[in-house]
Amino acid sequence: MSALEVEAVADRLATHRSAGPRHRFGFGEILAALFLLFVLVAAIAPALLSPTDPLAIDPGDAFSPPSLAQIFGTDESGRNIYSRVVHGAASSLVIGVSATVIGLGLGVLLGVVAGLGGRVVDFGVNRLLEVLFALPGLLLALFLIVVIGPGVVTTTLAVGISTAPGYARIIRAQLIAVRSSAYVEAATVQGRGRWWILRRHLLPNTLAPLLALGTLGVGQAIVWASALSFLGLGAVPPSPEWGAMLAAGRTYLSSAWWMSVFPGLFIVLTAVCATVLGRGVQRRTRQR
């Protein structure tokens, strides 16, 4: 599923709001929060949801289809796919959150420097961002992995750096809009210093959308990290990581579809639910 399709599904889910005041959460947002709560519990305490060892093999039970005993079936080595999906949530979520934090941190740094550094600095940062934007984000991540080398840490860094230009553009635009606002001009007329205005007005109002941006970015980062693992550049089998599981199951799609469908479904649902909550936070931030 492409990023545009994920955004479209998120929009449809977010529009199913319950009747009542505008500040209440919609039905789609409640479902998204419940699913993400399940993923969070799976990441923090997977044994609560599946005590089975995700790496335990049982060749005699290989390729078992979904059933009451094995709700997600087993893989080619007889490993429990439900247990692997649950235990894989930690790896996928840590990569997604860490990459988002890296991307936001770099984005804020570049955006603030561009917005406050004067025309020359703004021009230089904008040219750098344009160069980075010339490459699609996933292609930029692939380039960084080729330069640095494959691995989970490298994948996290690559995804984080690849998402930074988008965040930087948003932060820069927000900072420029706040800087030209009436209350900043009033503070300047009153003789307030630059650092006081920066601390009191510019940064708080510029960084306010970060929660929404971060929530939206986690889903995108998980999809990108899973795509890189699918290509063999991130976590590798038998690691219970969703992208790696998806890659391992592609050979058996015709005979054991469940090996790829369930980890793929969790990747898509996590991205969609994170986007739904991010859109909800974004709307409520604008309403204030």
Side-chain angles (χ1 to χ4, degrees):
M1 179 176 286
S2 67
L4 291 176
E5 290 171 329
V6 170
E7 293 280 345
V9 173
D11 280 337
R12 287 197 292 270
L13 285 175
T15 55
H16 289 287
R17 294 167 171 260
S18 58
R22 293 181 64 186
H23 65 273
R24 291 183 181 178
F25 286 101
F27 180 67
E29 293 168 349
I30 293 174
L31 289 180
L34 290 176
F35 179 81
L36 291 179
L37 178 61
F38 176 86
V39 173
L40 185 62
V41 172
I44 296 174
L48 293 177
L49 301 175
S50 177
T52 306
D53 184 358
L55 299 178
I57 63 173
D58 184 5
D61 199 25
F63 297 116
S64 295
S67 62
L68 292 178
Q70 310 274 8
I71 59 173
F72 286 1
T74 61
D75 62 10
E76 75 278 9
S77 299
R79 293 184 289 251
N80 188 310
I81 292 179
Y82 170 73
S83 177
R84 290 174 61 75
V85 168
V86 169
H87 285 77
S91 177
S92 297
L93 201 60
V94 167
I95 292 174
V97 172
S98 300
T100 302
V101 170
I102 292 171
L104 278 175
L106 290 175
V108 169
L109 178 62
L110 290 173
V112 170
V113 169
L116 297 177
R119 291 184 178 181
V120 175
V121 175
D122 187 29
F123 179 84
V125 173
N126 270 322
R127 299 297 78 77
L128 173 63
L129 294 178
E130 287 174 0
V131 171
L132 295 176
F133 269 118
L135 293 173
L138 192 56
L139 183 60
L140 179 59
L142 285 171
F143 173 75
L144 292 172
I145 288 177
V146 170
V147 173
I148 303 173
V152 175
V153 175
T154 305
T155 298
T156 305
L157 289 173
V159 173
I161 294 172
S162 301
T163 57
Y167 295 132
R169 277 284 180 88
I170 295 172
I171 295 299
R172 174 185 173 275
Q174 181 76 7
L175 184 60
I176 292 175
V178 173
R179 191 175 60 185
S180 59
S181 62
Y183 53 85
V184 171
E185 292 180 358
T188 304
V189 171
Q190 292 173 1
R192 300 293 187 180
R194 176 179 296 181
W195 291 108
W196 188 92
I197 295 175
L198 178 67
R199 186 181 67 255
R200 185 67 179 269
H201 293 304
L202 293 180
L203 288 182
N205 289 286
T206 300
L207 303 183
L210 285 187
L211 178 59
L213 288 176
T215 308
L216 289 167
V218 168
Q220 178 189 12
I222 289 176
V223 171
W224 285 12
S226 298
L228 293 173
S229 295
F230 180 83
L231 296 174
L233 300 174
V236 295
S239 173
E241 196 272 336
W242 295 343
M245 293 174 62
L246 194 63
R250 62 182 170 179
T251 308
Y252 310 100
L253 275 176
S254 59
S255 57
W257 53 266
W258 52 89
M259 288 179 59
S260 292
V261 167
F262 289 112
L265 185 62
F266 268 73
I267 293 171
V268 173
L269 287 178
T270 302
V272 170
C273 291
T275 305
V276 168
L277 283 186
R279 290 288 180 85
V281 171
Q282 201 171 41
R283 284 194 301 271
R284 283 161 179 78
T285 302
R286 290 173 179 173
Q287 289 171 6
R288 291 178 180 178

